[in-house]
C-alpha cells in the first residue's frame, strides 16, 4: 500500500464534528476561518472536541504561519520540509497547496529534499531548511555547522520564528497522523504529489 493509499484509508480516532457541534469559543474562531478560506479542515473538525484547548492551539498554530517577520514562502517551505521528514501526507498536502497558490517555483517543491544542492534554493533557504530538518530529526544534537550557518543567515528574531514555525508544524504533524485525521477532499490531488516525494 502506498503512503497516499494508507493516508486515504485511515479512520479518525475521534468523530469529525460539524461546526454546529463545536463549543462556543472554538466555533466563533472556526466560523471566521471558514469565511476566510471557504471550508473547515478535518484537523479543525477533530480538534473541536477540546473547545478551549483547540482555541489556544489553533491561535498559536495560525500565528506561527502568519505572524512574525518571515517571508511567507520561507515559512511554508519550512513547514513542508518538516511535514515531509515526518511523512505527514495530510499536512504536507496543505503546505504544498499553499505554495502552489502563492506561485512558488515548482522546482522548490519537487526538490525540497535536495535543498542543499538544488539551484532553486537560496543560501538563506538552505540555512533555514537545514536547521528545520535537524530540529525535527534530533533537536538535542543539531550539528555546530548547521547552527553556525543558521546564525549567520538570520537575525535572532528570525531564528526564533523559524524554530517556532518548524516546531509547531512538528506538533501538528503528530496530532494529525496520531489521531489518523483523514485527508481533506480539497487536498487529495496535492496529497498524491506529496506522498510520492516522501
Amino acid at each position: 500500500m502506498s503512503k497516499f493509499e494508507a493516508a486515504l484509508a485511515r479512520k479518525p480516532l475521534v468523530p469529525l464534528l460539524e461546526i454546529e457541534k463545536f463549543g462556543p469559543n472554538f466555533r466563533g474562531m472556526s466560523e471566521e476561518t471558514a469565511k476566510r478560506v471557504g471550508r473547515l479542515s478535518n484537523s479543525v473538525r477533530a480538534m473541536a472536541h477540546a473547545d478551549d484547548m483547540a482555541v489556544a492551539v489553533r491561535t498559536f498554530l495560525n500565528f506561527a504561519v502568519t505572524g512574525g517577520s518571515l517571508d511567507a514562502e520561507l515559512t511554508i517551505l519550512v513547514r513542508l520540509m518538516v511535514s515531509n521528514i515526518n511523512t505527514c501526507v495530510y499536512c504536507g498536502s496543505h503546505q504544498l497547496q499553499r505554495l502552489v497558490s502563492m506561485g512558488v517555483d515548482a522546482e522548490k517543491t519537487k526538490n525540497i529534499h535536495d535543498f542543499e544542492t538544488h539551484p532553486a534554493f537560496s543560501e538563506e533557504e538552505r540555512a533555514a531548511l537545514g536547521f528545520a530538518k535537524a530540529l525535527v530529526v534530533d533537536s538535542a544534537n543539531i550539528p555546530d555547522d548547521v547552527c553556525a550557518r543558521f546564525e549567520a543567515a538570520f537575525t535572532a528574531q528570525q531564528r526564533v520564528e523559524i524554530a517556532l514555525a518548524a516546531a509547531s508544524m512538528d506538533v501538528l504533524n503528530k496530532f494529525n497522523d496520531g489521531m489518523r485525521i483523514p485527508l481533506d477532499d480539497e487536498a487529495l490531488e496535492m496529497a498524491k504529489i506529496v506522498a510520492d516525494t516522501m
Side-chain angles (χ1 to χ4, degrees):
M1 181 180 292
S2 72
K3 287 179 185 157
F4 173 72
E5 291 167 332
L8 197 59
R10 64 190 184 186
K11 303 291 183 231
L13 297 184
V14 295
L16 303 177
L17 296 177
E18 296 300 327
I19 198 161
E20 298 78 26
K21 294 191 176 181
F22 285 23
N25 296 327
F26 195 49
R27 182 174 179 171
M29 176 186 212
S30 299
E31 286 173 340
E32 289 176 24
T33 301
K35 283 181 197 170
R36 192 176 66 250
V37 299
R39 64 181 175 81
L40 285 179
S41 70
N42 288 337
S43 179
V44 168
R45 294 173 63 212
M47 266 187 210
H49 287 278
D51 187 46
D52 289 335
M53 185 176 283
V55 169
V57 169
R58 292 308 302 193
T59 298
F60 167 66
L61 292 171
N62 291 342
F63 199 78
V65 178
T66 61
S69 64
L70 296 175
D71 175 72
E73 180 178 328
L74 179 61
T75 301
I76 306 302
L77 282 171
V78 164
R79 290 167 57 92
L80 179 61
M81 170 60 75
V82 171
S83 296
N84 280 5
I85 292 167
N86 286 331
T87 66
C88 183
V89 175
Y90 182 93
C91 293
S93 66
H94 286 267
Q95 304 321 302
L96 180 58
Q97 200 167 40
R98 283 189 81 166
L99 289 166
V100 168
S101 71
M102 293 166 62
V104 171
D105 181 357
E107 287 300 305
K108 288 183 181 180
T109 58
K110 286 192 287 190
N111 296 287
I112 191 82
H113 292 291
D114 297 321
F115 69 90
E116 289 286 8
T117 56
H118 197 280
F121 295 93
S122 69
E123 289 306 313
E124 290 80 15
E125 289 167 336
R126 289 185 176 112
L129 294 172
F131 179 81
K133 179 178 180 180
L135 181 78
V136 172
V137 171
D138 187 358
S139 61
N141 294 294
I142 299 174
D144 290 342
D145 62 321
V146 171
C147 290
R149 180 171 68 168
F150 186 56
E151 286 182 293
F154 299 103
T155 66
Q157 177 181 345
Q158 292 170 323
R159 293 192 303 269
V160 168
E161 291 170 359
I162 290 166
L164 288 172
S168 67
M169 192 75 250
D170 193 45
V171 167
L172 194 54
N173 294 160
K174 304 254 186 310
F175 175 81
N176 288 328
D177 275 342
M179 296 298 287
R180 299 181 178 177
I181 306 303
L183 297 170
D184 295 297
D185 290 341
E186 301 84 358
L188 290 179
E189 183 182 331
M190 297 298 174
K192 287 178 191 173
I193 296 167
V194 167
D196 288 342
T197 66
M198 293 181 168

